[in-house]
Amino acid sequence: MATDTANSSVAGDLRAPITPEGRTMVDLLTGVLPQIRSEAGDNDRDGTFPVEVFGQLAKLGLMGATVPTALGGLGVHRLYDVAVALMRLAQADASTALALHVQLSRGLTLTYEWLHGSPPVRALAERLLRAMATGEAAVCGALKDAPGVVTELTADGSGGWLLNGRKILVSMAPIGTHFFVHAQRRDADGNVLLSVPIVRRDAPGLTVGTHWDGLGMRASGTLDVSFHDCPVAADHVLDRGPAGARRDAVLAGQTVSSITMLGIYAGVAQAARDLAVEMCARRRSQPAAAVLALVAGIDTRLYTLRAVAGTALLNADLLAADLTGDLDERGRGMMTPFQYAKMTVNELAPAVVDDCLSLVGGQAYAGQHPLARLYRDVRAGGFMQPYSYVDGVDYLSGQALGANRDNDYMSVRALRSPTPAGER
Amino acid sequence: MATDTANSSVAGDLRAPITPEGRTMVDLLTGVLPQIRSEAGDNDRDGTFPVEVFGQLAKLGLMGATVPTALGGLGVHRLYDVAVALMRLAQADASTALALHVQLSRGLTLTYEWLHGSPPVRALAERLLRAMATGEAAVCGALKDAPGVVTELTADGSGGWLLNGRKILVSMAPIGTHFFVHAQRRDADGNVLLSVPIVRRDAPGLTVGTHWDGLGMRASGTLDVSFHDCPVAADHVLDRGPAGARRDAVLAGQTVSSITMLGIYAGVAQAARDLAVEMCARRRSQPAAAVLALVAGIDTRLYTLRAVAGTALLNADLLAADLTGDLDERGRGMMTPFQYAKMTVNELAPAVVDDCLSLVGGQAYAGQHPLARLYRDVRAGGFMQPYSYVDGVDYLSGQALGANRDNDYMSVRALRSPTPAGER
Amino acid sequence: MATDTANSSVAGDLRAPITPEGRTMVDLLTGVLPQIRSEAGDNDRDGTFPVEVFGQLAKLGLMGATVPTALGGLGVHRLYDVAVALMRLAQADASTALALHVQLSRGLTLTYEWLHGSPPVRALAERLLRAMATGEAAVCGALKDAPGVVTELTADGSGGWLLNGRKILVSMAPIGTHFFVHAQRRDADGNVLLSVPIVRRDAPGLTVGTHWDGLGMRASGTLDVSFHDCPVAADHVLDRGPAGARRDAVLAGQTVSSITMLGIYAGVAQAARDLAVEMCARRRSQPAAAVLALVAGIDTRLYTLRAVAGTALLNADLLAADLTGDLDERGRGMMTPFQYAKMTVNELAPAVVDDCLSLVGGQAYAGQHPLARLYRDVRAGGFMQPYSYVDGVDYLSGQALGANRDNDYMSVRALRSPTPAGER
Amino acid sequence: MATDTANSSVAGDLRAPITPEGRTMVDLLTGVLPQIRSEAGDNDRDGTFPVEVFGQLAKLGLMGATVPTALGGLGVHRLYDVAVALMRLAQADASTALALHVQLSRGLTLTYEWLHGSPPVRALAERLLRAMATGEAAVCGALKDAPGVVTELTADGSGGWLLNGRKILVSMAPIGTHFFVHAQRRDADGNVLLSVPIVRRDAPGLTVGTHWDGLGMRASGTLDVSFHDCPVAADHVLDRGPAGARRDAVLAGQTVSSITMLGIYAGVAQAARDLAVEMCARRRSQPAAAVLALVAGIDTRLYTLRAVAGTALLNADLLAADLTGDLDERGRGMMTPFQYAKMTVNELAPAVVDDCLSLVGGQAYAGQHPLARLYRDVRAGGFMQPYSYVDGVDYLSGQALGANRDNDYMSVRALRSPTPAGER
């Protein structure tokens, strides 16, 4: 890894990347932002995934931004820098940022597998990372089972596996070439084992849905993916251990996978703020009292959410780089501040957007006004992995009060009966 | 008017109507609610105004609910009761409630004109009220000028008027038969006079827009209406006096026109609450801690918003019925509690809906989930007439601190330069 | 009871009493307010109970305000009116209002016993009510056991009882002549029975503490009372049935005992508001933007808290007067809106006071500034009976989700092990 | 300055100092904390300044913690580290932290004068800094004029000055040996010049008050100081330029003087949190739902306030160290994030303390309970220099909207008529 020479000038407010690699990524992105911004409204209205934009991102090497330089990527390795890039992107279009996040966080977690995994996992990770760097591979994560469904691996009788089930809310799916599918399998004693088969899009039995009508994030290519006796080779399954193992060490990887999304909601809030404050600044008349109070409040909350996200990201970077201590403690040490930040971002980003609507007035209520889109997009934050507000209260109060509980939400879900159809 | 025998049992929380006429209105509405509820999702998605539903409301006499019985109406005369009815309706579909509100509040203000206006105005009011009672007339209000436009009356040279301009956000427009258009004209000295020409839909030069793509309230038939040399007879213009006259007495009529909309947002919050709490109650597992805290908070805020709206409505009814004192004081005495209630409802109703999304979880983020619609509909409250949050701060702080200001927002707007295109 | 002829003019915002008796009480109080207001600062600083003021209240008949006229009292019977009176009083001094509340709510609950109790209870209630009307009796409630203590009745072997234990937070204790002590006793099978012995101050073994150093409400005469083999006659014990009986009917009496305290916190907020807004109105310079926003927010929240308290009080009055239906349902029907209102008042009253400090500026931080007192007094609201925020969440979510639980907090406490010393 | 070798491990959440000097300061403080903590309650009750504690701090060199090592101090030069130390101290006693802050921030600003001032100022600064390092000098700031008073310098006729006026809210005054007095003088043309005479405690005509009865921060030695024809030598007056000069460069010094106080309120919130959460963790029973929600919310807000304060401090340190660019821009660049952080800390710290009272329950309402003290202490944050909430809205909205205004609050005050007695 490169030395972080720029480190001494970090203020932690997501203003700029820390590392040279981060700056390169942001510079490359900057060139594509005008196009992304100009298409955002139409893509939102129609629920269209911007395939062409992702083609350009691939050409620029941005689909491999978090792939190590040794494997052909840009080598961005700081979560902080990824979040800064996603914030810039989300200021133009949050849906695009949400989809790109999938690829960037996969780059980070696969790099970890490449460095620390078993030999076959390292080989698999290397192949995928190299393909991500060239833009050939777009790797989706499929976490959430459809209501009433348990996605499962069963032995195919000849050393491989068959995958059956259905996943919902898989972002970037329209261009996904590989899917990391969170599945269960059972050992001889009936214990549930958490497994992640990696399935190619052209695998027999895999079907990607065609349309998702979301309240917001409508251009993020968030689709259902189903598996019907879909064959998976034995060396394409990552083992995540038994459900219920209570290894808080896994919280580290879950943090890496999700924490950079804080940048997306910071970007949504920033976009709303810029739009509303610029409109107020253009008005010729003396601003009303409430306008001044709202503007001061918006900027205060925006800085606060950037600061809390930035601080949690710096913390995660520090701990991610240090594998010398207790790994369970490291996992909690990464996840807990992440959840503090997520709780606050999920409260403040919608509040900022809401006040921006009040500043702009009735025209912001038109369906295709950018603020109307931001109002819908920003609400997605509360549903991002891990945790929702409800689950976050359990996790954080458990940490404070020393509760004895399973902090791995994938494990908890696996051990729960499937959600009945009609709930999620 | 009927004696309000039921008055002694009012708790002011919008649970039930106070008067027998109010109960009749609610009972009649109740029969139509299942149909309205079942169509709400589709109408929202397509932005379709439910013409057929309004046909049924007319058949039931509900388009004349607030018309005096002497003129063929149901004789509902308490603002409180109208708000209760709109709340019930909004629980099924907020867009329909917003559109019906237009007709119901027109019935109330026209009844006032019929009782207290000059002879020609009384005659005009009687004709309109009788037509509303039969369902023949649907009377829209056209308040807000399009950006950059001033809607104006000019003399046609033969004792009548020509109307030119464009209005936006006219609800119930698809079935509107008459439009109350808030316009300006100038006297010989160039002073701005506020006038309300009443224009029939078939008047030459009047054009009703065809589509409005709103963030929410998409089935409310909220359209643009334009006027091009549209002729208006002299006795079809209501005189509202000179702009800048600072007659706080007009706040009474503005309160009557708008205060019952509080019921709409109470209904939206109630619908969200019922949906979310019922889902939680159905779940078999022990609710998470945050679920209990959210549920208690939702019910607390819902009761609070119902109580503050109900209290302001009871106050408005008391003062509306009493014309014996200082009319300026009466105007402020009606408007000020209304604005307190509006500020609180505009804060609490969206907060309730938001927490309901948190309770229900990710499925509520699907575009056609009822909560996604409620999340969009409820935000309209902040833009309802008078006042927005920004203007409300000026009005209420002015009342508290004894500021010397024009409290008539129609007058203030008329004396302001037109909003540039691009702002509203 | 008098007919509530004034009922039709109720707006429910605690502005004025509803009944003639209520108006009499408020008029009588008004004369004493200047003295109370002028002593409030000194009494707060020194923690002095205003014995002389209570002498005057007694002379005016106000210690018997809620005693029926047939028994020599003023006959105030509406909870709403009592709350209005306590609000006025709290605007002058919250501590005095808290102490008087004890007597007034005792008058209401004893009137119920007098009307509906068994013959011996009716006789006892009549004697006490007559003595309250003359000002001879000041009747305190002793609810809360000292940490680690269970206050218990044991048989004295000759048909009477001996009381042992210690109570904390007994308000109006310096002048208390009788104490309603919430105690436990056990039947032959060891079941816990809830009992309320009524003990005279001069009873052997009863000791009233001398000083309480509270954060606020320092002049409310809130003291410890201990009992050491204190004899109680058999006919001086009110039977409250077995702990754990789950009779929600008792919630009615608990509502009557406590709901009028909402007026106290409305009064504290109103006092802070008047002080701060009047200071802002006196300043000659143009108010800063944030001053206008704060003032509008303060008045909005103050109206809201008055409305929600008023609405819950009207509801309680309606149900209190009606014993014809299911008494458990009546109990919940009174308690639930009371708790909604309490939750909101406990949130809004401190928020109003806090914003008033911001309006007034640094001088409000001086220890003897009235706002500094109000800042300390208002925080007591969160600790008033039933329920605290924490318990209120359990009660209200239980109501919403249909939980099967014991809603009687006295019963729950009795069945819990005693709080360890060091906790309360 | 020492190289900040530890810099790469900063997460910005105020957990630990960044520099070795900062760590030394915190280590030295740690030894005194038990004594400070044990005396805090009594000193608060009696309003006693802990003279003996400050003697110990002096012995340990902590009165010179921010004095450069070259002048005998500990050489702490990062605002971040000072804030961390004040946070630790405030966890034991906020009053002591507030008083020590005076000395520490004086060390920082005098070091700037020593490095960048004119030769006589450098000499003066060096003498004072050396005396602070030995503990001989305790240097107070006297900023706020008493109501109705303007503290002024007038020529004494022989090249020196006479100081007259009265200052309020001077912390650490009981042991103050020197006072930096913010005064006005007028030039020949009548223009107001901002000046800071440095006056020794034993100067003729200087009187230090004896008692201050504050709502909180009662042991901070916050007193009035008056000046009656108090002589000041010409070379003991720092020139701050003409009022109204609009040099935003001065915002840098104002930031340095005040930003570390954010640590104090972080410490108050942390102390309340630790106390309340530890009590909850000790309870044997299953925590109520609202307890879990409160605990999660408290920890979330505490982390957020630490992060936003830490981020603003890191930003101020970065800009403080860089004098190469536009100095006005640097001033705003330091002040604006500081104010964002101050707004948020002033909102979140009281909210944390308040929720801790709810967690602990009624016992926290006892006057001498630590939480009752923290509830009073924490409210001081809103009144700290610059700016109050009201002034902060003007400053921050001015920054956002490009308003043309004087951002120097000392200048604004000087040009305003004196506050009438009765206001502050």
Side-chain angles (χ1 to χ4, degrees), chain C residues 45 144 169 212-218 279 282-284 288-291 293-294 350 353-368 371-380 383 388-391 393-394 417-418 420 422-424, chain D residues 45 144 169 212-218 279 282-284 288-291 293-294 350 353-368 371-380 383 388-391 393-394 417-418 420 422-424:
Chain C
R45 187 191 55 226
K144 210 174 168 73
L169 299 174
W212 176 65
D213 177 28
L215 172 59
M217 295 292 189
R218 295 170 53 84
M279 168 167 293
R282 275 200 309 273
R283 285 177 185 150
R284 286 148 307 176
V291 167
L294 285 171
V353 173
D354 193 80
D355 278 354
C356 290
L357 268 84
S358 296
L359 277 184
V360 166
Q363 65 167 309
Y365 200 68
Q368 294 307 314
L371 276 173
R373 172 164 49 87
L374 296 169
Y375 176 75
R376 291 181 284 102
D377 284 351
V378 78
R379 191 59 183 80
F383 302 116
S388 70
Y389 172 72
V390 168
D391 295 332
V393 163
D394 280 348
S417 356
E423 297 186 23
R424 278 185 194 189
Chain D
R45 187 191 55 228
K144 209 172 169 73
L169 299 174
W212 174 66
D213 177 28
L215 171 59
M217 295 293 188
R218 293 169 56 82
M279 168 167 293
R282 274 199 311 272
R283 287 178 183 148
R284 287 149 306 178
V291 167
L294 285 171
V353 174
D354 193 79
D355 278 353
C356 290
L357 269 84
S358 296
L359 277 184
V360 167
Q363 64 168 310
Y365 200 69
Q368 294 307 315
L371 276 174
R373 171 164 50 87
L374 296 169
Y375 176 75
R376 292 181 284 102
D377 284 350
V378 78
R379 192 58 183 79
F383 303 116
S388 70
Y389 172 72
V390 168
D391 294 332
V393 164
D394 280 349
S417 353
E423 298 186 22
R424 278 186 193 185

Side-chain angles (χ1 to χ4, degrees), chain B residues 21-44:
Chain B
E21 297 86 350
R23 280 193 289 278
T24 300
M25 170 170 54
V26 166
D27 289 346
L28 288 170
L29 254 183
T30 303
V32 204
L33 294 183
Q35 182 189 348
I36 293 171
R37 190 177 293 113
S38 71
E39 294 179 7
D42 288 354
N43 289 336
D44 169 60

Side-chain angles (χ1 to χ4, degrees), chain C residues 246-304:
Chain C
R246 304 210 175 183
R247 293 172 311 151
D248 284 347
V250 304
L251 303 179
Q254 293 175 359
T255 300
V256 169
S257 290
S258 297
I259 192 173
T260 59
M261 282 194 283
L262 297 177
I264 299 176
Y265 298 96
V268 171
Q270 183 74 50
R273 180 270 179 203
D274 290 347
L275 200 151
V277 170
E278 279 160 27
M279 168 167 293
C280 292
R282 275 200 309 273
R283 285 177 185 150
R284 286 148 307 176
S285 51
Q286 168 65 16
V291 167
L292 300 183
L294 285 171
V295 166
I298 286 167
D299 276 2
T300 294
R301 284 181 291 183
L302 182 55
Y303 185 80
T304 300

Side-chain angles (χ1 to χ4, degrees), chain B residues 226-250:
Chain B
S226 7
F227 311 96
H228 181 72
D229 282 341
C230 184
V232 187
D235 61 356
H236 277 63
V237 176
L238 303 176
D239 178 25
R240 295 293 187 237
R246 303 208 175 184
R247 293 172 311 151
D248 284 347
V250 304

Side-chain angles (χ1 to χ4, degrees), chain A residues 213-216 283-284 288 290 354 357-358 361-363 365-368 375-377 379-380 383 390 393 420 422-424, chain B residues 213-217 283-284 288 290 354 357-358 361-363 365-368 375-377 379-380 383 390 420 422-424:
Chain A
D213 177 28
L215 171 60
R283 285 176 186 152
R284 287 148 307 177
D354 193 80
L357 268 83
S358 296
Q363 65 168 308
Y365 200 69
Q368 294 307 314
Y375 176 75
R376 292 181 284 101
D377 284 351
R379 191 60 182 80
F383 303 116
V390 167
V393 163
E423 297 186 22
R424 275 183 197 191
Chain B
D213 177 28
L215 172 60
M217 295 293 188
R283 287 177 184 149
R284 287 149 306 178
D354 193 80
L357 269 83
S358 296
Q363 64 168 309
Y365 200 69
Q368 293 308 315
Y375 176 75
R376 291 181 284 100
D377 284 351
R379 191 59 182 81
F383 302 117
V390 168
E423 297 187 21
R424 278 187 193 185

Side-chain angles (χ1 to χ4, degrees), chain D residues 74-322:
Chain D
L74 298 183
V76 178
H77 56 281
R78 295 286 298 250
L79 296 163
Y80 187 93
D81 287 358
V82 173
V84 170
L86 290 173
M87 180 175 170
R88 299 284 175 91
L89 184 48
Q91 288 178 249
D93 182 31
S95 286
T96 303
L98 183 61
L100 183 60
H101 162 266
V102 170
Q103 178 85 345
L104 297 182
S105 67
R106 187 58 60 203
L108 295 168
T109 57
L110 276 174
T111 299
Y112 183 88
E113 306 279 4
W114 175 60
L115 292 170
H116 304 289
S118 62
V121 166
R122 296 176 64 167
L124 176 64
E126 179 171 339
R127 281 198 309 277
L128 276 168
L129 286 165
R130 287 192 185 277
M132 290 167 74
T134 62
E136 197 187 337
V139 187
C140 298
L143 276 79
K144 209 172 169 73
D145 280 325
V149 170
V150 177
T151 301
E152 282 179 306
L153 279 179
T154 47
D156 70 354
S158 52
W161 301 96
L162 293 176
L163 182 64
N164 281 282
R166 189 154 62 90
K167 293 287 181 179
I168 58 174
L169 299 174
V170 180
S171 294
M172 198 181 69
I175 61 166
T177 59
H178 299 74
F179 296 86
F180 274 56
V181 185
H182 289 254
Q184 302 182 20
R185 61 187 180 87
R186 293 189 181 260
D187 66 13
D189 300 330
N191 299 314
V192 173
L193 301 175
L194 303 173
S195 303
V196 181
I198 298 162
V199 193
R200 295 182 59 97
R201 188 193 192 96
D202 54 12
L206 182 153
T207 317
V208 177
T210 52
H211 190 65
W212 174 66
D213 177 28
L215 171 59
M217 295 293 188
R218 293 169 56 82
S220 58
T222 297
L223 301 174
D224 290 11
V225 181
S226 9
F227 312 97
H228 181 72
D229 284 341
C230 184
V232 186
D235 61 355
H236 276 63
V237 176
L238 304 176
D239 179 24
R240 295 293 187 238
R246 303 209 174 182
R247 293 172 311 152
D248 284 346
V250 304
L251 303 178
Q254 293 175 359
T255 300
V256 169
S257 290
S258 297
I259 191 172
T260 59
M261 282 194 283
L262 296 177
I264 299 175
Y265 298 96
V268 172
Q270 184 74 50
R273 182 270 180 204
D274 289 347
L275 201 150
V277 170
E278 278 160 28
M279 168 167 293
C280 292
R282 274 199 311 272
R283 287 178 183 148
R284 287 149 306 178
S285 51
Q286 167 67 14
V291 167
L292 300 183
L294 285 171
V295 165
I298 285 167
D299 276 1
T300 295
R301 284 181 292 183
L302 183 55
Y303 184 80
T304 299
L305 83 82
R306 291 169 60 155
V308 72
T311 302
L313 284 154
L314 290 176
N315 172 74
D317 274 328
L318 284 175
L319 289 173
D322 179 7

